Amino acid sequence: MLQTYTYPEFAYRQSPEQAAGEVKRHPVVIIGAGPIGMTQALDLAARGVASVILDDNNTVSIGSRAVCYAKRPLEIWDRLGLGEGYAARGIQWKVGKVFFRNDLAYQFDLLPEAHHKMPAMINLQQYYLEEELVKACDAHPLVDLRWKHKLLSLEQTSGTGDDVATLTVETPDGVFKLQADWVIAADGANSDTRRMVGADFTGHFFQDRFLIADVVISQTEFPTERWFWFDPPFHRNQSVLLHKECDNVWRIDFQLGWDDG
């Protein structure tokens, strides 16, 4: 657990429909209160569409996770009232360097033009990003964010002229059902929701192992840039990625190799 951050615990609340034993139908139900799910709910709300977010956890993500956010998502969050805050708090950068061993092999600038409202990239621990999204969701009357709500099953009824999805959900108060016109799966790469409807990802994946560490370093001469090494002297035959974050935290990704146990 990082000493630079205290993880919040969000309160579970029984929904009125579960308390009343009713099966209520919602315009949109979103599975997963991560950055995608909460951003989608806020975007729908900005267009006048109400949604319910279900998440089986009750805190933000553990560790820095995504950490790097490009100009385009920052522009989307800015449209939702969050972009300027993220840009101010995050570590802004635009220069990346690629090294082969000790030698600089390539350098790039992601935003060579001046006077853009949003930076090319920011580095911001995902828990900070999610905290602000939770506050925005809780403050919006069209977003109903429900913690400790685990999706157990999903059934679709279609072709009847009244298409609907029926979700079975488990909470600390037991199991209940709710319905939705639309369901959005935002529960990550290993989505149970997609599995339930037979929409798993297909294709190939890259087999490798990485050690990802958030390290607190109060003094360093490294610039605020993305540095990537191939075959560095300190980790031969592998790669290493270095990013600066808030709170004097540095994200270091070590490639270990698929056979490294």
Side-chain angles (χ1 to χ4, degrees):
M1 196 71 69
L2 287 180
Q3 296 179 354
T4 58
Y5 184 75
T6 301
Y7 289 89
E9 289 190 6
F10 304 116
Y12 158 77
R13 293 186 296 272
Q14 187 183 48
S15 64
E17 64 207 85
Q18 184 178 10
E22 300 173 349
V23 179
K24 185 175 179 179
R25 184 164 176 168
H26 302 273
V28 180
V29 172
I30 300 169
I31 311 302
I36 301 301
M38 289 190 285
T39 300
Q40 179 66 83
L42 290 170
D43 190 60
L44 287 168
R47 302 166 193 270
V49 179
S51 66
V52 174
I53 309 174
L54 306 179
D55 197 283
D56 60 0
N57 206 341
N58 68 335
T59 189
V60 294
S61 66
I62 305 299
S64 57
R65 297 289 292 277
V67 80
C68 297
Y69 307 99
K71 187 172 182 290
R72 180 55 182 150
L74 289 171
E75 290 172 341
I76 294 172
W77 286 318
D78 190 51
R79 174 162 51 81
L80 300 174
L82 297 169
E84 290 186 0
Y86 287 153
R89 185 164 196 177
I91 301 297
Q92 299 186 16
W93 66 276
K94 64 175 187 172
V95 174
K97 294 179 179 177
V98 179
F99 298 87
F100 179 66
R101 296 177 181 168
N102 280 326
D103 300 324
L104 178 63
Y106 179 70
Q107 178 174 326
F108 58 85
D109 186 334
L110 293 174
L111 194 64
E113 299 177 341
H115 310 302
H116 287 243
K117 182 178 182 181
M118 290 292 112
M121 297 283 291
I122 66 165
N123 290 349
L124 181 67
Q125 293 94 310
Q126 187 170 323
Y127 41 77
Y128 286 137
L129 184 97
E130 290 186 11
E131 252 196 289
E132 295 305 312
L133 284 166
V134 170
K135 292 177 184 176
C137 287
D138 284 343
H140 205 295
L142 293 180
V143 180
D144 183 355
L145 177 50
R146 303 180 182 181
W147 302 104
K148 290 294 185 180
H149 281 63
K150 179 180 176 60
L151 178 65
L152 297 180
S153 66
L154 189 158
E155 299 178 0
Q156 300 182 86
T157 302
S158 60
T160 63
D162 185 26
D163 297 350
V164 65
T166 301
L167 300 86
T168 302
V169 177
E170 182 180 40
T171 75
D173 290 314
V175 175
F176 77 108
K177 294 182 183 293
L178 69 159
Q179 292 184 325
D181 296 329
W182 296 93
V183 177
I184 298 175
D187 48 344
N190 299 312
S191 168
D192 287 333
T193 312
R194 287 196 303 272
R195 177 182 51 77
M196 291 174 188
V197 299
D200 292 330
F201 287 137
T202 60
H204 301 283
F205 63 93
F206 180 65
Q207 290 186 330
D208 213 331
R209 296 182 188 274
F210 292 85
L211 172 63
I212 300 176
D214 286 336
V215 181
V216 178
I217 305 176
S218 58
Q219 298 293 331
T220 178
E221 296 179 357
F222 280 104
T224 306
E225 299 172 347
R226 174 193 184 273
W227 282 25
F228 189 93
W229 289 267
F230 288 105
D231 192 22
F234 53 88
H235 191 50
R236 297 307 304 270
N237 302 314
Q238 302 291 355
S239 66
V240 177
L241 177 64
L242 178 69
H243 274 289
K244 185 179 181 181
E245 307 173 21
C246 302
D247 307 326
N248 293 319
V249 176
W250 290 76
R251 164 83 164 262
I252 310 175
D253 295 9
F254 290 93
Q255 181 187 23
L256 301 180
W258 181 246
D259 297 327
D260 194 315

